[in-house]
Each structure stands twice: as structure tokens, then as C-alpha cells.
């Protein structure tokens, strides 16, 4: 069926686009050191008249991998502003760790 579309030109074109997507996926996987995901969707609508004449309409969609989303870490202050510093750290309690001498203990 695929080899009939566009007088035989459709199938080689589809295979060429799939191979280009494969190269893109491999490059993506190497660039981001992760698994690349893609999707190929092929839809064939078929109509047959009472005399047996068949019409096929082929649609395809080739989707390559999407780049990872950009991420950031921030904290919200009491008044709703965003900051890169954790505002709770200014409220941390600091305790005296002793006179600075360390004691070696054996594991029990």
C-alpha cells in the first residue's frame, strides 16, 4: 500500500525521513547522555466503491526527541519574592560544638 502512494515516491521519502529521525535521536542521546524517545504515527484512510476501486490516503507523523526542560532551584520569601538563597538559613540555630577537641570512639 505504501509503495503505491504518489506513484511510488512516497515510500522512499518516508524511509528517508525515518532515517533522518534516527540520526537525530542518536545525536540527542549522545549529546544529553540519556535515552532518546520518538514516535512514528502512520494513518491510512481507505475508501472502496461498489466496483472495487480503492482510494488510500496516507498520512504520517514523525516526532523526534524533545530537548530537556530548563530547571532552576529557588526559594520564596515571606513576601512572595523569589530568591536563590534559602531564607530559612538565616534562622538556623547554631550550637556550641564543645571545646574543639575530638574524641575517638570504637564501634560497638
Amino acid at each position: 500500500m505504501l509503495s503505491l502512494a504518489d506513484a511510488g515516491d512516497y515510500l522512499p521519502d518516508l524511509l528517508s525521513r525515518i532515517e533522518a529521525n534516527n540520526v537525530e535521536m542518536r545525536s540527542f542521546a549522545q549529546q544529553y547522555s540519556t535515552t532518546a524517545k520518538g514516535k512514528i504515527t502512520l494513518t491510512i484512510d481507505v475508501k472502496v466503491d461498489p466496483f472495487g476501486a480503492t482510494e488510500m490516503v496516507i498520512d504520517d507523523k514523525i516526532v523526534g526527541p524533545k530537548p530537556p526542560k530548563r530547571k532552576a532551584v529557588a526559594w520564596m520569601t515571606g513576601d512572595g519574592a523569589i530568591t536563590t538563597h534559602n531564607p530559612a538559613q538565616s534562622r538556623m540555630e547554631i550550637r556550641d560544638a564543645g571545646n574543639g577537641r575530638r574524641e575517638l570512639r570504637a564501634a560497638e
Side-chain angles (χ1 to χ4, degrees):
M1 294 173 100
L2 297 177
S3 64
L4 296 174
D6 292 339
D9 292 336
Y10 174 74
L11 186 56
D13 175 62
L14 176 64
L15 293 175
S16 173
R17 290 184 288 128
I18 289 173
E19 288 174 357
N21 186 57
N22 291 344
V23 170
E24 178 187 352
M25 290 178 61
R26 175 75 187 262
S27 175
F28 178 94
Q30 291 173 340
Q31 181 179 359
Y32 293 105
S33 299
T34 187
T35 302
K37 294 181 182 179
K39 187 174 190 177
I40 300 171
T41 306
L42 189 62
T43 305
I44 304 173
D45 292 322
V46 181
K47 286 193 242 179
V48 180
D49 72 10
F51 303 103
T54 305
E55 178 184 339
M56 295 169 282
V57 178
I58 301 171
D59 186 33
D60 65 71
K61 185 175 182 183
I62 300 172
V63 179
K66 296 178 184 174
K69 295 179 181 179
R70 307 296 191 246
K71 295 181 181 180
V73 175
W75 286 265
M76 189 173 294
T77 63
D79 59 355
I82 299 292
T83 179
T84 57
H85 304 297
N86 186 346
Q89 285 186 344
S90 62
R91 293 179 293 208
M92 289 176 54
E93 294 180 20
I94 301 189
R95 63 181 178 87
D96 186 6
N99 61 6
R101 293 179 35 189
R102 295 184 180 183
E103 178 182 333
L104 294 176
R105 298 183 206 173
E108 294 179 18

